[in-house]
Amino acid sequence: MIKTFPLNSRAKTTALKQPKELFAFARDIDGEYIFDSTKAQQENLSYYYLPDAYVDKQIDLGGGYSNFKKIPEEQNLGDFQALLKGVMNHEQSTGAKINTDIVTFRGLMTKLLTLPYNLKDPLDFHIIVYDGQLFIKNNDEIELKRRQQNSQHDDPTKDEMMKKFEYSGYKFEAISTLPKPWGDCSRQLIEKRNKKVVNNYEQYISVVRTGIGKVKLLLAGEVDCLWDYIPEDGKDILPHYVELKTSKVIEAPGQVVNFEKKLFRTWAQSFLIGIRKIVYGFRDDNLILRNVEVYNTEEVPIMLKDTINVNTKIVCMNALKWYGAVIEWINNEIPKDIDKLWSLTYDPGSKSFSIVELVQDSELRNSVITEEFKQ
Ligand code: A3P
Ligand code: MG
Ligand code: MG
């Protein structure tokens, strides 16, 4: 049976829980996971460092492109087994079971939250019910096909350009971070950052407990770096994480709209797991870094609301009310006491948002809920 949910649904109130980090884990340059949080912090969490004098040097964000170490897309769809291994380790070390309604990746919830202003993008998720919780993941097959289609163009020159743009996002992350706090770095280490082999294997993943309305969520999301230091336990509620982004420099009024759309997605991505700062590197068409802006995540809704052009205005509160309503609907509609599989889709053609029960598929279930996790 298909259950549909109207796109104009909005929660009356959006009682938000401040995200609280439970633990973090990392993926290293060889694609291996590190669950020891001290080791992950020491080896895979980097520190923001981008002085103006360095920006003035006209850094080429396309530099080193031919050495890009890129993970194959099929290995980069969000690794549920790694996440659940982290959950298992955390439960074993604290002796307490994590009690939540929904377990998922931040990227998927970003798509859900931004849907009112992204009505052209489809969604295809799988929901696996296990142990009274909903595990939400991508429909990997469809997601992979979509990514492959998006990266293929009729014109090979355009293809190459798109790949370079993607590379420049990772290159910006490499040149604006240090492996240790600035004060602990040698001059050589500081100067080495422009020579680093750029890769998208390395990830530092923060796992937070958060909530909206009555629904409790456990979200895992990649974080780019730290602003300054790791607060001692209990002293700060939110870690001092930074999201790094790139954008084309804004030279014409028409380009403002594209930037605002990207800033909105960056806000959603950061807000959901409590990342407090967003740093944008603006580059020109030749991928030269021209300037850098720092935004506080909590100020972005005010920036976007004050857009002069009413036709392109994005209202973060409106998106949050949709998100609150849809999360509550998913949580209420899917019975948690029967271990079934569901699919959740948004089809831009028919503008329909729905869930439907799937036939049991042990391969899909076992790909998420492993025997080890069940123990
Ligand atoms: P930019 O966001 O600066 O363009 P993230 O910012 O989420 O950490 O991702 C880092 C970089 O990965 C992005 O840099 C972009 O180059 C690439 N990237 C992320 N998501 C992408 C997507 N859906 N399609 C293409 N590239 C993507
Ligand atoms: Mg990142
Ligand atoms: Mg980033």
Short mmCIF file of all heavy atoms in Angstrom, two decimals, residues 327-352:
data_model
loop_
_atom_site.label_atom_id
_atom_site.label_comp_id
_atom_site.label_asym_id
_atom_site.label_seq_id
_atom_site.Cartn_x
_atom_site.Cartn_y
_atom_site.Cartn_z
N ILE A 327 9.39 14.17 9.08
CA ILE A 327 10.07 13.22 9.98
C ILE A 327 9.05 12.58 10.93
O ILE A 327 9.05 11.37 11.17
CB ILE A 327 11.19 13.93 10.78
CG1 ILE A 327 12.38 14.25 9.87
CG2 ILE A 327 11.65 13.11 11.98
CD1 ILE A 327 13.20 13.05 9.44
N GLU A 328 8.15 13.41 11.43
CA GLU A 328 7.12 12.87 12.34
C GLU A 328 6.22 11.88 11.60
O GLU A 328 5.85 10.83 12.13
CB GLU A 328 6.30 14.03 12.92
CG GLU A 328 5.39 13.56 14.04
CD GLU A 328 4.70 14.71 14.72
OE1 GLU A 328 3.85 15.36 14.06
OE2 GLU A 328 5.00 14.97 15.88
N TRP A 329 5.89 12.24 10.35
CA TRP A 329 5.03 11.36 9.54
C TRP A 329 5.70 10.01 9.30
O TRP A 329 5.09 8.96 9.52
CB TRP A 329 4.71 12.05 8.21
CG TRP A 329 3.88 11.24 7.28
CD1 TRP A 329 2.56 10.93 7.43
CD2 TRP A 329 4.32 10.61 6.06
NE1 TRP A 329 2.14 10.16 6.36
CE2 TRP A 329 3.20 9.94 5.52
CE3 TRP A 329 5.53 10.56 5.39
CZ2 TRP A 329 3.27 9.24 4.32
CZ3 TRP A 329 5.61 9.86 4.20
CH2 TRP A 329 4.48 9.21 3.67
N ILE A 330 6.95 10.02 8.90
CA ILE A 330 7.69 8.77 8.65
C ILE A 330 7.71 7.94 9.94
O ILE A 330 7.43 6.74 9.96
CB ILE A 330 9.13 9.05 8.17
CG1 ILE A 330 9.13 9.72 6.80
CG2 ILE A 330 9.97 7.77 8.14
CD1 ILE A 330 10.49 10.30 6.37
N ASN A 331 8.02 8.62 11.04
CA ASN A 331 8.14 7.94 12.33
C ASN A 331 6.81 7.33 12.80
O ASN A 331 6.78 6.29 13.42
CB ASN A 331 8.67 8.94 13.36
CG ASN A 331 9.15 8.28 14.62
OD1 ASN A 331 9.94 7.33 14.56
ND2 ASN A 331 8.65 8.74 15.76
N ASN A 332 5.70 8.01 12.46
CA ASN A 332 4.39 7.50 12.88
C ASN A 332 3.83 6.45 11.94
O ASN A 332 3.14 5.54 12.37
CB ASN A 332 3.36 8.65 12.95
CG ASN A 332 3.63 9.57 14.11
OD1 ASN A 332 4.34 9.20 15.05
ND2 ASN A 332 3.10 10.78 14.04
N GLU A 333 4.09 6.60 10.64
CA GLU A 333 3.46 5.72 9.65
C GLU A 333 4.08 4.34 9.60
O GLU A 333 3.42 3.37 9.24
CB GLU A 333 3.54 6.34 8.24
CG GLU A 333 2.60 7.49 7.99
CD GLU A 333 1.13 7.13 8.16
OE1 GLU A 333 0.70 6.12 7.61
OE2 GLU A 333 0.45 7.88 8.88
N ILE A 334 5.36 4.24 9.88
CA ILE A 334 6.03 2.95 9.74
C ILE A 334 6.02 2.21 11.09
O ILE A 334 6.59 2.69 12.06
CB ILE A 334 7.47 3.14 9.23
CG1 ILE A 334 7.41 3.79 7.84
CG2 ILE A 334 8.23 1.81 9.19
CD1 ILE A 334 8.72 3.97 7.16
N PRO A 335 5.34 1.06 11.12
CA PRO A 335 5.29 0.33 12.40
C PRO A 335 6.69 -0.11 12.80
O PRO A 335 7.44 -0.67 11.98
CB PRO A 335 4.41 -0.88 12.09
CG PRO A 335 3.82 -0.66 10.75
CD PRO A 335 4.63 0.36 10.04
N LYS A 336 7.03 0.13 14.08
CA LYS A 336 8.39 -0.19 14.51
C LYS A 336 8.48 -1.58 15.13
O LYS A 336 9.58 -2.04 15.44
CB LYS A 336 8.86 0.84 15.53
CG LYS A 336 9.01 2.23 14.93
CD LYS A 336 10.10 2.98 15.69
CE LYS A 336 10.13 4.43 15.31
NZ LYS A 336 9.43 5.30 16.24
N ASP A 337 7.31 -2.22 15.32
CA ASP A 337 7.35 -3.53 15.96
C ASP A 337 7.38 -4.68 14.95
O ASP A 337 7.39 -5.84 15.32
CB ASP A 337 6.17 -3.68 16.93
CG ASP A 337 4.85 -3.32 16.26
OD1 ASP A 337 4.88 -2.81 15.12
OD2 ASP A 337 3.79 -3.56 16.87
N ILE A 338 7.36 -4.37 13.64
CA ILE A 338 7.46 -5.43 12.64
C ILE A 338 8.69 -5.13 11.76
O ILE A 338 8.80 -4.06 11.18
CB ILE A 338 6.22 -5.48 11.72
CG1 ILE A 338 4.95 -5.14 12.52
CG2 ILE A 338 6.11 -6.84 11.03
CD1 ILE A 338 3.74 -4.88 11.66
N ASP A 339 9.59 -6.12 11.68
CA ASP A 339 10.85 -5.90 10.95
C ASP A 339 10.64 -5.96 9.44
O ASP A 339 10.95 -6.95 8.79
CB ASP A 339 11.89 -6.94 11.38
CG ASP A 339 12.45 -6.61 12.75
OD1 ASP A 339 12.05 -5.57 13.32
OD2 ASP A 339 13.27 -7.40 13.26
N LYS A 340 10.09 -4.89 8.88
CA LYS A 340 9.82 -4.87 7.45
C LYS A 340 10.77 -3.92 6.72
O LYS A 340 11.56 -3.21 7.33
CB LYS A 340 8.38 -4.42 7.20
CG LYS A 340 7.37 -5.50 7.58
CD LYS A 340 5.97 -5.10 7.17
CE LYS A 340 5.03 -6.28 7.36
NZ LYS A 340 3.63 -5.86 7.27
N LEU A 341 10.64 -3.91 5.39
CA LEU A 341 11.42 -2.99 4.56
C LEU A 341 10.48 -2.04 3.85
O LEU A 341 9.39 -2.45 3.43
CB LEU A 341 12.19 -3.76 3.48
CG LEU A 341 13.22 -4.79 3.91
CD1 LEU A 341 13.77 -5.49 2.68
CD2 LEU A 341 14.33 -4.11 4.68
N TRP A 342 10.89 -0.82 3.72
CA TRP A 342 10.07 0.19 3.06
C TRP A 342 10.92 0.98 2.08
O TRP A 342 12.13 1.05 2.22
CB TRP A 342 9.49 1.16 4.10
CG TRP A 342 8.64 0.51 5.13
CD1 TRP A 342 9.07 -0.22 6.20
CD2 TRP A 342 7.21 0.50 5.18
NE1 TRP A 342 7.98 -0.67 6.93
CE2 TRP A 342 6.82 -0.24 6.32
CE3 TRP A 342 6.20 1.06 4.37
CZ2 TRP A 342 5.48 -0.45 6.66
CZ3 TRP A 342 4.87 0.86 4.73
CH2 TRP A 342 4.52 0.12 5.85
N SER A 343 10.22 1.58 1.12
CA SER A 343 10.96 2.53 0.30
C SER A 343 10.31 3.89 0.44
O SER A 343 9.08 4.00 0.59
CB SER A 343 11.02 2.05 -1.15
OG SER A 343 10.10 2.74 -1.93
N LEU A 344 11.13 4.92 0.44
CA LEU A 344 10.63 6.29 0.57
C LEU A 344 11.09 7.03 -0.67
O LEU A 344 12.28 7.03 -0.99
CB LEU A 344 11.22 6.90 1.84
CG LEU A 344 10.86 8.34 2.17
CD1 LEU A 344 10.70 8.48 3.68
CD2 LEU A 344 11.93 9.30 1.72
N THR A 345 10.15 7.62 -1.40
CA THR A 345 10.54 8.29 -2.64
C THR A 345 9.87 9.65 -2.80
O THR A 345 8.77 9.89 -2.29
CB THR A 345 10.14 7.44 -3.89
OG1 THR A 345 8.74 7.19 -3.81
CG2 THR A 345 10.90 6.16 -3.99
N TYR A 346 10.58 10.51 -3.50
CA TYR A 346 9.96 11.74 -3.98
C TYR A 346 10.17 11.75 -5.49
O TYR A 346 11.30 11.63 -5.98
CB TYR A 346 10.60 12.98 -3.35
CG TYR A 346 10.23 14.23 -4.10
CD1 TYR A 346 8.91 14.68 -4.11
CD2 TYR A 346 11.18 14.93 -4.85
CE1 TYR A 346 8.54 15.80 -4.85
CE2 TYR A 346 10.82 16.06 -5.58
CZ TYR A 346 9.50 16.48 -5.56
OH TYR A 346 9.13 17.57 -6.31
N ASP A 347 9.07 11.88 -6.22
CA ASP A 347 9.13 11.89 -7.68
C ASP A 347 8.81 13.30 -8.18
O ASP A 347 7.70 13.78 -8.02
CB ASP A 347 8.12 10.87 -8.24
CG ASP A 347 7.99 11.00 -9.75
OD1 ASP A 347 9.00 11.36 -10.39
OD2 ASP A 347 6.89 10.78 -10.27
N PRO A 348 9.82 13.98 -8.76
CA PRO A 348 9.61 15.37 -9.18
C PRO A 348 8.57 15.49 -10.31
O PRO A 348 7.91 16.52 -10.41
CB PRO A 348 10.97 15.80 -9.72
CG PRO A 348 11.92 14.73 -9.41
CD PRO A 348 11.17 13.50 -9.06
N GLY A 349 8.42 14.42 -11.11
CA GLY A 349 7.45 14.47 -12.21
C GLY A 349 6.04 14.63 -11.69
O GLY A 349 5.31 15.57 -12.04
N SER A 350 5.64 13.72 -10.79
CA SER A 350 4.28 13.76 -10.26
C SER A 350 4.19 14.62 -8.98
O SER A 350 3.12 14.77 -8.40
CB SER A 350 3.80 12.35 -9.96
OG SER A 350 4.68 11.75 -9.03
N LYS A 351 5.34 15.12 -8.53
CA LYS A 351 5.44 15.88 -7.26
C LYS A 351 4.85 15.07 -6.10
O LYS A 351 4.15 15.60 -5.24
CB LYS A 351 4.72 17.23 -7.36
CG LYS A 351 5.32 18.19 -8.39
CD LYS A 351 6.13 19.28 -7.69
CE LYS A 351 6.69 20.33 -8.61
NZ LYS A 351 7.61 19.84 -9.64
N SER A 352 5.13 13.77 -6.11
CA SER A 352 4.54 12.96 -5.06
C SER A 352 5.61 12.41 -4.12
O SER A 352 6.68 11.94 -4.54
CB SER A 352 3.68 11.87 -5.70
OG SER A 352 4.07 10.63 -5.24
#
